[in-house]
PDB file of all heavy atoms in Angstrom:
ATOM      1  N   MET A 641       0.834  -1.203   0.019  1.00  0.00           N
ATOM      2  CA  MET A 641       0.010   0.024   0.032  1.00  0.00           C
ATOM      3  C   MET A 641       0.860   1.274  -0.032  1.00  0.00           C
ATOM      4  O   MET A 641       0.532   2.261  -0.695  1.00  0.00           O
ATOM      5  CB  MET A 641      -0.955   0.009   1.182  1.00  0.00           C
ATOM      6  CG  MET A 641      -1.890   1.167   1.250  1.00  0.00           C
ATOM      7  SD  MET A 641      -3.091   1.069   2.570  1.00  0.00           S
ATOM      8  CE  MET A 641      -4.289  -0.058   1.869  1.00  0.00           C
ATOM      9  N   ALA A 642       1.942   1.250   0.746  1.00  0.00           N
ATOM     10  CA  ALA A 642       2.844   2.409   0.813  1.00  0.00           C
ATOM     11  C   ALA A 642       3.516   2.644  -0.530  1.00  0.00           C
ATOM     12  O   ALA A 642       3.538   3.793  -1.023  1.00  0.00           O
ATOM     13  CB  ALA A 642       3.929   2.110   1.877  1.00  0.00           C
ATOM     14  N   PHE A 643       3.920   1.573  -1.209  1.00  0.00           N
ATOM     15  CA  PHE A 643       4.535   1.730  -2.499  1.00  0.00           C
ATOM     16  C   PHE A 643       3.535   2.280  -3.544  1.00  0.00           C
ATOM     17  O   PHE A 643       3.818   3.160  -4.365  1.00  0.00           O
ATOM     18  CB  PHE A 643       5.133   0.467  -3.055  1.00  0.00           C
ATOM     19  CG  PHE A 643       6.552   0.208  -2.614  1.00  0.00           C
ATOM     20  CD1 PHE A 643       6.914  -0.872  -1.793  1.00  0.00           C
ATOM     21  CD2 PHE A 643       7.561   1.072  -3.075  1.00  0.00           C
ATOM     22  CE1 PHE A 643       8.205  -1.077  -1.374  1.00  0.00           C
ATOM     23  CE2 PHE A 643       8.909   0.836  -2.700  1.00  0.00           C
ATOM     24  CZ  PHE A 643       9.206  -0.214  -1.832  1.00  0.00           C
ATOM     25  N   MET A 644       2.304   1.776  -3.481  1.00  0.00           N
ATOM     26  CA  MET A 644       1.310   2.236  -4.477  1.00  0.00           C
ATOM     27  C   MET A 644       0.965   3.693  -4.216  1.00  0.00           C
ATOM     28  O   MET A 644       0.837   4.427  -5.193  1.00  0.00           O
ATOM     29  CB  MET A 644       0.010   1.355  -4.337  1.00  0.00           C
ATOM     30  CG  MET A 644       0.265  -0.101  -4.706  1.00  0.00           C
ATOM     31  SD  MET A 644       0.782  -0.333  -6.397  1.00  0.00           S
ATOM     32  CE  MET A 644      -0.685   0.076  -7.284  1.00  0.00           C
ATOM     33  N   GLN A 645       0.849   4.093  -2.958  1.00  0.00           N
ATOM     34  CA  GLN A 645       0.583   5.511  -2.652  1.00  0.00           C
ATOM     35  C   GLN A 645       1.720   6.376  -3.136  1.00  0.00           C
ATOM     36  O   GLN A 645       1.495   7.454  -3.796  1.00  0.00           O
ATOM     37  CB  GLN A 645       0.382   5.681  -1.117  1.00  0.00           C
ATOM     38  CG  GLN A 645       0.123   7.106  -0.770  1.00  0.00           C
ATOM     39  CD  GLN A 645      -0.072   7.297   0.729  1.00  0.00           C
ATOM     40  OE1 GLN A 645      -0.593   8.323   1.208  1.00  0.00           O
ATOM     41  NE2 GLN A 645       0.360   6.350   1.556  1.00  0.00           N
ATOM     42  N   MET A 646       2.953   5.981  -2.848  1.00  0.00           N
ATOM     43  CA  MET A 646       4.097   6.785  -3.172  1.00  0.00           C
ATOM     44  C   MET A 646       4.245   6.948  -4.707  1.00  0.00           C
ATOM     45  O   MET A 646       4.494   8.039  -5.250  1.00  0.00           O
ATOM     46  CB  MET A 646       5.373   6.321  -2.505  1.00  0.00           C
ATOM     47  CG  MET A 646       5.403   6.438  -1.021  1.00  0.00           C
ATOM     48  SD  MET A 646       6.984   5.999  -0.283  1.00  0.00           S
ATOM     49  CE  MET A 646       7.026   4.246  -0.528  1.00  0.00           C
ATOM     50  N   LYS A 647       4.087   5.868  -5.387  1.00  0.00           N
ATOM     51  CA  LYS A 647       4.266   5.879  -6.857  1.00  0.00           C
ATOM     52  C   LYS A 647       3.167   6.733  -7.494  1.00  0.00           C
ATOM     53  O   LYS A 647       3.409   7.464  -8.478  1.00  0.00           O
ATOM     54  CB  LYS A 647       4.210   4.461  -7.432  1.00  0.00           C
ATOM     55  CG  LYS A 647       5.523   3.716  -7.181  1.00  0.00           C
ATOM     56  CD  LYS A 647       5.643   2.440  -7.957  1.00  0.00           C
ATOM     57  CE  LYS A 647       4.786   1.351  -7.436  1.00  0.00           C
ATOM     58  NZ  LYS A 647       5.035   0.044  -8.125  1.00  0.00           N
ATOM     59  N   ARG A 648       1.968   6.680  -6.944  1.00  0.00           N
ATOM     60  CA  ARG A 648       0.814   7.533  -7.506  1.00  0.00           C
ATOM     61  C   ARG A 648       1.125   9.010  -7.283  1.00  0.00           C
ATOM     62  O   ARG A 648       0.895   9.838  -8.142  1.00  0.00           O
ATOM     63  CB  ARG A 648      -0.454   7.098  -6.925  1.00  0.00           C
ATOM     64  CG  ARG A 648      -1.647   7.855  -7.504  1.00  0.00           C
ATOM     65  CD  ARG A 648      -1.852   7.527  -8.958  1.00  0.00           C
ATOM     66  NE  ARG A 648      -2.804   8.375  -9.595  1.00  0.00           N
ATOM     67  CZ  ARG A 648      -2.565   9.507 -10.299  1.00  0.00           C
ATOM     68  NH1 ARG A 648      -1.280   9.909 -10.377  1.00  0.00           N
ATOM     69  NH2 ARG A 648      -3.515  10.220 -10.826  1.00  0.00           N
ATOM     70  N   VAL A 649       1.662   9.349  -6.130  1.00  0.00           N
ATOM     71  CA  VAL A 649       1.993  10.706  -5.774  1.00  0.00           C
ATOM     72  C   VAL A 649       3.122  11.201  -6.712  1.00  0.00           C
ATOM     73  O   VAL A 649       3.051  12.294  -7.301  1.00  0.00           O
ATOM     74  CB  VAL A 649       2.434  10.853  -4.305  1.00  0.00           C
ATOM     75  CG1 VAL A 649       3.051  12.274  -4.054  1.00  0.00           C
ATOM     76  CG2 VAL A 649       1.276  10.642  -3.387  1.00  0.00           C
ATOM     77  N   VAL A 650       4.196  10.358  -6.889  1.00  0.00           N
ATOM     78  CA  VAL A 650       5.301  10.755  -7.748  1.00  0.00           C
ATOM     79  C   VAL A 650       4.805  10.982  -9.154  1.00  0.00           C
ATOM     80  O   VAL A 650       5.165  11.990  -9.819  1.00  0.00           O
ATOM     81  CB  VAL A 650       6.343   9.607  -7.754  1.00  0.00           C
ATOM     82  CG1 VAL A 650       7.434   9.877  -8.799  1.00  0.00           C
ATOM     83  CG2 VAL A 650       7.037   9.577  -6.353  1.00  0.00           C
ATOM     84  N   ALA A 651       3.896  10.133  -9.677  1.00  0.00           N
ATOM     85  CA  ALA A 651       3.371  10.252 -11.023  1.00  0.00           C
ATOM     86  C   ALA A 651       2.587  11.554 -11.142  1.00  0.00           C
ATOM     87  O   ALA A 651       2.725  12.317 -12.105  1.00  0.00           O
ATOM     88  CB  ALA A 651       2.450   9.052 -11.378  1.00  0.00           C
ATOM     89  N   GLY A 652       1.718  11.802 -10.159  1.00  0.00           N
ATOM     90  CA  GLY A 652       0.861  13.027 -10.203  1.00  0.00           C
ATOM     91  C   GLY A 652       1.650  14.285 -10.116  1.00  0.00           C
ATOM     92  O   GLY A 652       1.336  15.253 -10.784  1.00  0.00           O
ATOM     93  N   VAL A 653       2.670  14.318  -9.289  1.00  0.00           N
ATOM     94  CA  VAL A 653       3.460  15.514  -9.079  1.00  0.00           C
ATOM     95  C   VAL A 653       4.440  15.759 -10.221  1.00  0.00           C
ATOM     96  O   VAL A 653       4.454  16.893 -10.819  1.00  0.00           O
ATOM     97  CB  VAL A 653       4.207  15.492  -7.781  1.00  0.00           C
ATOM     98  CG1 VAL A 653       5.182  16.686  -7.614  1.00  0.00           C
ATOM     99  CG2 VAL A 653       3.206  15.509  -6.577  1.00  0.00           C
ATOM    100  N   LEU A 654       5.223  14.772 -10.583  1.00  0.00           N
ATOM    101  CA  LEU A 654       6.302  14.980 -11.594  1.00  0.00           C
ATOM    102  C   LEU A 654       5.819  15.112 -13.027  1.00  0.00           C
ATOM    103  O   LEU A 654       6.500  15.648 -13.877  1.00  0.00           O
ATOM    104  CB  LEU A 654       7.352  13.877 -11.474  1.00  0.00           C
ATOM    105  CG  LEU A 654       8.137  13.840 -10.177  1.00  0.00           C
ATOM    106  CD1 LEU A 654       9.224  12.785 -10.269  1.00  0.00           C
ATOM    107  CD2 LEU A 654       8.792  15.216  -9.887  1.00  0.00           C
ATOM    108  N   ARG A 655       4.630  14.641 -13.291  1.00  0.00           N
ATOM    109  CA  ARG A 655       4.087  14.863 -14.633  1.00  0.00           C
ATOM    110  C   ARG A 655       3.929  16.340 -14.913  1.00  0.00           C
ATOM    111  O   ARG A 655       4.112  16.804 -16.021  1.00  0.00           O
ATOM    112  CB  ARG A 655       2.731  14.165 -14.756  1.00  0.00           C
ATOM    113  CG  ARG A 655       2.069  14.360 -16.121  1.00  0.00           C
ATOM    114  CD  ARG A 655       0.714  13.649 -16.213  1.00  0.00           C
ATOM    115  NE  ARG A 655       0.865  12.246 -16.288  1.00  0.00           N
ATOM    116  CZ  ARG A 655       1.014  11.569 -17.453  1.00  0.00           C
ATOM    117  NH1 ARG A 655       1.078  12.251 -18.597  1.00  0.00           N
ATOM    118  NH2 ARG A 655       1.124  10.260 -17.446  1.00  0.00           N
ATOM    119  N   GLN A 656       3.531  17.115 -13.890  1.00  0.00           N
ATOM    120  CA  GLN A 656       3.229  18.517 -14.081  1.00  0.00           C
ATOM    121  C   GLN A 656       4.306  19.485 -13.560  1.00  0.00           C
ATOM    122  O   GLN A 656       4.441  20.624 -13.975  1.00  0.00           O
ATOM    123  CB  GLN A 656       1.926  18.896 -13.400  1.00  0.00           C
ATOM    124  CG  GLN A 656       0.713  18.242 -14.034  1.00  0.00           C
ATOM    125  CD  GLN A 656      -0.552  18.703 -13.350  1.00  0.00           C
ATOM    126  OE1 GLN A 656      -1.360  17.839 -12.880  1.00  0.00           O
ATOM    127  NE2 GLN A 656      -0.817  19.954 -13.268  1.00  0.00           N
ATOM    128  N   PHE A 657       5.056  19.028 -12.479  1.00  0.00           N
ATOM    129  CA  PHE A 657       5.915  19.998 -11.763  1.00  0.00           C
ATOM    130  C   PHE A 657       7.339  19.513 -11.536  1.00  0.00           C
ATOM    131  O   PHE A 657       7.609  18.306 -11.563  1.00  0.00           O
ATOM    132  CB  PHE A 657       5.278  20.294 -10.363  1.00  0.00           C
ATOM    133  CG  PHE A 657       3.874  20.720 -10.405  1.00  0.00           C
ATOM    134  CD1 PHE A 657       2.842  19.896 -10.048  1.00  0.00           C
ATOM    135  CD2 PHE A 657       3.540  22.031 -10.828  1.00  0.00           C
ATOM    136  CE1 PHE A 657       1.519  20.312 -10.044  1.00  0.00           C
ATOM    137  CE2 PHE A 657       2.206  22.443 -10.867  1.00  0.00           C
ATOM    138  CZ  PHE A 657       1.179  21.600 -10.512  1.00  0.00           C
ATOM    139  N   LYS A 658       8.185  20.423 -11.330  1.00  0.00           N
ATOM    140  CA  LYS A 658       9.548  20.217 -10.781  1.00  0.00           C
ATOM    141  C   LYS A 658       9.542  20.697  -9.339  1.00  0.00           C
ATOM    142  O   LYS A 658       9.019  21.767  -9.052  1.00  0.00           O
ATOM    143  CB  LYS A 658      10.632  20.954 -11.535  1.00  0.00           C
ATOM    144  CG  LYS A 658      10.994  20.286 -12.891  1.00  0.00           C
ATOM    145  CD  LYS A 658      12.129  20.991 -13.558  1.00  0.00           C
ATOM    146  CE  LYS A 658      13.468  20.832 -12.837  1.00  0.00           C
ATOM    147  NZ  LYS A 658      13.991  19.467 -12.967  1.00  0.00           N
ATOM    148  N   VAL A 659      10.101  19.899  -8.440  1.00  0.00           N
ATOM    149  CA  VAL A 659      10.236  20.272  -7.011  1.00  0.00           C
ATOM    150  C   VAL A 659      11.605  20.742  -6.742  1.00  0.00           C
ATOM    151  O   VAL A 659      12.562  19.891  -6.828  1.00  0.00           O
ATOM    152  CB  VAL A 659       9.808  19.117  -6.107  1.00  0.00           C
ATOM    153  CG1 VAL A 659       9.938  19.540  -4.637  1.00  0.00           C
ATOM    154  CG2 VAL A 659       8.367  18.636  -6.391  1.00  0.00           C
ATOM    155  N   VAL A 660      11.821  22.003  -6.458  1.00  0.00           N
ATOM    156  CA  VAL A 660      13.166  22.595  -6.335  1.00  0.00           C
ATOM    157  C   VAL A 660      13.435  23.073  -4.933  1.00  0.00           C
ATOM    158  O   VAL A 660      12.675  23.950  -4.419  1.00  0.00           O
ATOM    159  CB  VAL A 660      13.316  23.789  -7.311  1.00  0.00           C
ATOM    160  CG1 VAL A 660      14.769  24.334  -7.225  1.00  0.00           C
ATOM    161  CG2 VAL A 660      13.018  23.347  -8.741  1.00  0.00           C
ATOM    162  N   PRO A 661      14.384  22.535  -4.208  1.00  0.00           N
ATOM    163  CA  PRO A 661      14.667  22.960  -2.845  1.00  0.00           C
ATOM    164  C   PRO A 661      15.005  24.454  -2.783  1.00  0.00           C
ATOM    165  O   PRO A 661      15.748  24.944  -3.633  1.00  0.00           O
ATOM    166  CB  PRO A 661      15.911  22.132  -2.435  1.00  0.00           C
ATOM    167  CG  PRO A 661      15.849  20.913  -3.311  1.00  0.00           C
ATOM    168  CD  PRO A 661      15.312  21.398  -4.636  1.00  0.00           C
ATOM    169  N   ALA A 662      14.396  25.110  -1.806  1.00  0.00           N
ATOM    170  CA  ALA A 662      14.598  26.569  -1.635  1.00  0.00           C
ATOM    171  C   ALA A 662      15.721  26.810  -0.641  1.00  0.00           C
ATOM    172  O   ALA A 662      15.549  27.439   0.385  1.00  0.00           O
ATOM    173  CB  ALA A 662      13.299  27.238  -1.213  1.00  0.00           C
ATOM    174  N   VAL A 663      16.912  26.256  -0.955  1.00  0.00           N
ATOM    175  CA  VAL A 663      18.079  26.419  -0.095  1.00  0.00           C
ATOM    176  C   VAL A 663      19.258  26.839  -0.943  1.00  0.00           C
ATOM    177  O   VAL A 663      19.259  26.592  -2.157  1.00  0.00           O
ATOM    178  CB  VAL A 663      18.405  25.173   0.731  1.00  0.00           C
ATOM    179  CG1 VAL A 663      17.320  24.852   1.707  1.00  0.00           C
ATOM    180  CG2 VAL A 663      18.627  23.982  -0.208  1.00  0.00           C
ATOM    181  N   ALA A 664      20.280  27.364  -0.336  1.00  0.00           N
ATOM    182  CA  ALA A 664      21.489  27.729  -1.050  1.00  0.00           C
ATOM    183  C   ALA A 664      22.156  26.471  -1.601  1.00  0.00           C
ATOM    184  O   ALA A 664      22.025  25.392  -1.000  1.00  0.00           O
ATOM    185  CB  ALA A 664      22.445  28.472  -0.103  1.00  0.00           C
ATOM    186  N   GLU A 665      22.853  26.703  -2.711  1.00  0.00           N
ATOM    187  CA  GLU A 665      23.538  25.580  -3.364  1.00  0.00           C
ATOM    188  C   GLU A 665      24.546  24.947  -2.372  1.00  0.00           C
ATOM    189  O   GLU A 665      25.292  25.625  -1.633  1.00  0.00           O
ATOM    190  CB  GLU A 665      24.355  26.097  -4.546  1.00  0.00           C
ATOM    191  CG  GLU A 665      24.971  25.023  -5.420  1.00  0.00           C
ATOM    192  CD  GLU A 665      24.016  24.196  -6.179  1.00  0.00           C
ATOM    193  OE1 GLU A 665      22.930  24.756  -6.488  1.00  0.00           O
ATOM    194  OE2 GLU A 665      24.337  23.026  -6.467  1.00  0.00           O
ATOM    195  N   GLY A 666      24.501  23.578  -2.276  1.00  0.00           N
ATOM    196  CA  GLY A 666      25.409  22.906  -1.407  1.00  0.00           C
ATOM    197  C   GLY A 666      25.001  22.688   0.001  1.00  0.00           C
ATOM    198  O   GLY A 666      25.627  21.926   0.765  1.00  0.00           O
ATOM    199  N   VAL A 667      23.857  23.295   0.413  1.00  0.00           N
ATOM    200  CA  VAL A 667      23.353  23.097   1.722  1.00  0.00           C
ATOM    201  C   VAL A 667      22.661  21.725   1.828  1.00  0.00           C
ATOM    202  O   VAL A 667      21.716  21.447   1.026  1.00  0.00           O
ATOM    203  CB  VAL A 667      22.318  24.220   2.114  1.00  0.00           C
ATOM    204  CG1 VAL A 667      21.707  23.929   3.441  1.00  0.00           C
ATOM    205  CG2 VAL A 667      23.079  25.557   2.195  1.00  0.00           C
ATOM    206  N   GLU A 668      23.057  20.904   2.766  1.00  0.00           N
ATOM    207  CA  GLU A 668      22.474  19.573   2.903  1.00  0.00           C
ATOM    208  C   GLU A 668      21.587  19.535   4.118  1.00  0.00           C
ATOM    209  O   GLU A 668      21.975  20.007   5.192  1.00  0.00           O
ATOM    210  CB  GLU A 668      23.625  18.552   3.099  1.00  0.00           C
ATOM    211  CG  GLU A 668      24.603  18.501   1.937  1.00  0.00           C
ATOM    212  CD  GLU A 668      24.338  17.311   1.040  1.00  0.00           C
ATOM    213  OE1 GLU A 668      23.869  16.321   1.461  1.00  0.00           O
ATOM    214  OE2 GLU A 668      24.694  17.480  -0.199  1.00  0.00           O
ATOM    215  N   PRO A 669      20.363  18.995   3.988  1.00  0.00           N
ATOM    216  CA  PRO A 669      19.478  18.943   5.182  1.00  0.00           C
ATOM    217  C   PRO A 669      19.950  17.898   6.197  1.00  0.00           C
ATOM    218  O   PRO A 669      20.670  16.947   5.830  1.00  0.00           O
ATOM    219  CB  PRO A 669      18.150  18.520   4.521  1.00  0.00           C
ATOM    220  CG  PRO A 669      18.501  17.769   3.306  1.00  0.00           C
ATOM    221  CD  PRO A 669      19.811  18.426   2.804  1.00  0.00           C
ATOM    222  N   ASN A 670      19.502  18.052   7.404  1.00  0.00           N
ATOM    223  CA  ASN A 670      19.872  17.109   8.436  1.00  0.00           C
ATOM    224  C   ASN A 670      18.795  16.028   8.582  1.00  0.00           C
ATOM    225  O   ASN A 670      17.597  16.301   8.515  1.00  0.00           O
ATOM    226  CB  ASN A 670      19.985  17.801   9.828  1.00  0.00           C
ATOM    227  CG  ASN A 670      21.244  18.584   9.916  1.00  0.00           C
ATOM    228  OD1 ASN A 670      22.325  18.176   9.410  1.00  0.00           O
ATOM    229  ND2 ASN A 670      21.236  19.747  10.623  1.00  0.00           N
ATOM    230  N   PHE A 671      19.264  14.813   8.692  1.00  0.00           N
ATOM    231  CA  PHE A 671      18.401  13.670   8.847  1.00  0.00           C
ATOM    232  C   PHE A 671      18.215  13.428  10.363  1.00  0.00           C
ATOM    233  O   PHE A 671      19.183  13.194  11.051  1.00  0.00           O
ATOM    234  CB  PHE A 671      19.031  12.406   8.234  1.00  0.00           C
ATOM    235  CG  PHE A 671      18.218  11.112   8.367  1.00  0.00           C
ATOM    236  CD1 PHE A 671      17.290  10.811   7.395  1.00  0.00           C
ATOM    237  CD2 PHE A 671      18.441  10.242   9.415  1.00  0.00           C
ATOM    238  CE1 PHE A 671      16.570   9.569   7.505  1.00  0.00           C
ATOM    239  CE2 PHE A 671      17.762   9.051   9.545  1.00  0.00           C
ATOM    240  CZ  PHE A 671      16.802   8.728   8.558  1.00  0.00           C
ATOM    241  N   VAL A 672      16.989  13.606  10.882  1.00  0.00           N
ATOM    242  CA  VAL A 672      16.777  13.427  12.304  1.00  0.00           C
ATOM    243  C   VAL A 672      15.727  12.307  12.517  1.00  0.00           C
ATOM    244  O   VAL A 672      14.901  12.082  11.632  1.00  0.00           O
ATOM    245  CB  VAL A 672      16.273  14.771  13.020  1.00  0.00           C
ATOM    246  CG1 VAL A 672      17.378  15.779  12.978  1.00  0.00           C
ATOM    247  CG2 VAL A 672      14.963  15.254  12.364  1.00  0.00           C
ATOM    248  N   SER A 673      15.814  11.673  13.646  1.00  0.00           N
ATOM    249  CA  SER A 673      14.894  10.548  13.899  1.00  0.00           C
ATOM    250  C   SER A 673      14.315  10.611  15.263  1.00  0.00           C
ATOM    251  O   SER A 673      15.011  10.833  16.259  1.00  0.00           O
ATOM    252  CB  SER A 673      15.661   9.232  13.729  1.00  0.00           C
ATOM    253  OG  SER A 673      14.850   8.136  14.142  1.00  0.00           O
ATOM    254  N   PHE A 674      13.018  10.479  15.323  1.00  0.00           N
ATOM    255  CA  PHE A 674      12.375  10.203  16.637  1.00  0.00           C
ATOM    256  C   PHE A 674      11.754   8.835  16.485  1.00  0.00           C
ATOM    257  O   PHE A 674      12.492   7.867  16.413  1.00  0.00           O
ATOM    258  CB  PHE A 674      11.310  11.310  16.858  1.00  0.00           C
ATOM    259  CG  PHE A 674      11.963  12.682  16.970  1.00  0.00           C
ATOM    260  CD1 PHE A 674      11.936  13.586  15.928  1.00  0.00           C
ATOM    261  CD2 PHE A 674      12.750  12.987  18.077  1.00  0.00           C
ATOM    262  CE1 PHE A 674      12.594  14.822  15.984  1.00  0.00           C
ATOM    263  CE2 PHE A 674      13.415  14.204  18.143  1.00  0.00           C
ATOM    264  CZ  PHE A 674      13.330  15.102  17.132  1.00  0.00           C
ATOM    265  N   LEU A 675      10.461   8.596  16.491  1.00  0.00           N
ATOM    266  CA  LEU A 675       9.979   7.234  16.157  1.00  0.00           C
ATOM    267  C   LEU A 675      10.055   6.990  14.703  1.00  0.00           C
ATOM    268  O   LEU A 675      10.186   5.832  14.264  1.00  0.00           O
ATOM    269  CB  LEU A 675       8.493   7.093  16.687  1.00  0.00           C
ATOM    270  CG  LEU A 675       8.326   7.241  18.212  1.00  0.00           C
ATOM    271  CD1 LEU A 675       6.871   7.041  18.543  1.00  0.00           C
ATOM    272  CD2 LEU A 675       9.212   6.289  18.984  1.00  0.00           C
ATOM    273  N   THR A 676       9.987   8.008  13.869  1.00  0.00           N
ATOM    274  CA  THR A 676      10.232   7.999  12.439  1.00  0.00           C
ATOM    275  C   THR A 676      11.198   9.072  12.071  1.00  0.00           C
ATOM    276  O   THR A 676      11.423  10.004  12.876  1.00  0.00           O
ATOM    277  CB  THR A 676       8.935   8.142  11.664  1.00  0.00           C
ATOM    278  OG1 THR A 676       8.292   9.337  12.050  1.00  0.00           O
ATOM    279  CG2 THR A 676       7.976   6.961  11.959  1.00  0.00           C
ATOM    280  N   SER A 677      11.738   9.056  10.855  1.00  0.00           N
ATOM    281  CA  SER A 677      12.710  10.017  10.463  1.00  0.00           C
ATOM    282  C   SER A 677      12.005  11.287   9.924  1.00  0.00           C
ATOM    283  O   SER A 677      10.812  11.277   9.507  1.00  0.00           O
ATOM    284  CB  SER A 677      13.631   9.463   9.392  1.00  0.00           C
ATOM    285  OG  SER A 677      12.919   9.199   8.234  1.00  0.00           O
ATOM    286  N   GLN A 678      12.731  12.385   9.913  1.00  0.00           N
ATOM    287  CA  GLN A 678      12.241  13.643   9.394  1.00  0.00           C
ATOM    288  C   GLN A 678      13.441  14.397   8.799  1.00  0.00           C
ATOM    289  O   GLN A 678      14.573  14.101   9.038  1.00  0.00           O
ATOM    290  CB  GLN A 678      11.652  14.534  10.472  1.00  0.00           C
ATOM    291  CG  GLN A 678      10.392  13.969  11.125  1.00  0.00           C
ATOM    292  CD  GLN A 678       9.826  14.934  12.204  1.00  0.00           C
ATOM    293  OE1 GLN A 678      10.229  16.083  12.278  1.00  0.00           O
ATOM    294  NE2 GLN A 678       8.960  14.371  13.016  1.00  0.00           N
TER     295      GLN A 678
END
């Protein structure tokens, strides 16, 4: 179910849009974890 949901979202979004991070070039986000990652 998770894969089907994610693939449908990817298809719906990328068919129409590009998702571009609004950060300076070279800035890497931090991977943090509580019960799940963020």
Side-chain angles (χ1 to χ4, degrees):
M641 182 174 281
F643 272 116
M644 295 301 288
Q645 177 181 199
M646 290 189 291
K647 286 192 284 187
R648 184 64 190 94
V649 170
V650 171
V653 172
L654 292 185
R655 178 181 286 274
Q656 293 183 236
F657 306 106
K658 283 184 70 71
V659 179
V660 181
V663 294
E665 187 71 28
V667 173
E668 301 257 332
N670 285 326
F671 180 89
V672 296
S673 173
F674 298 105
L675 297 181
T676 55
S677 66
Q678 294 180 16

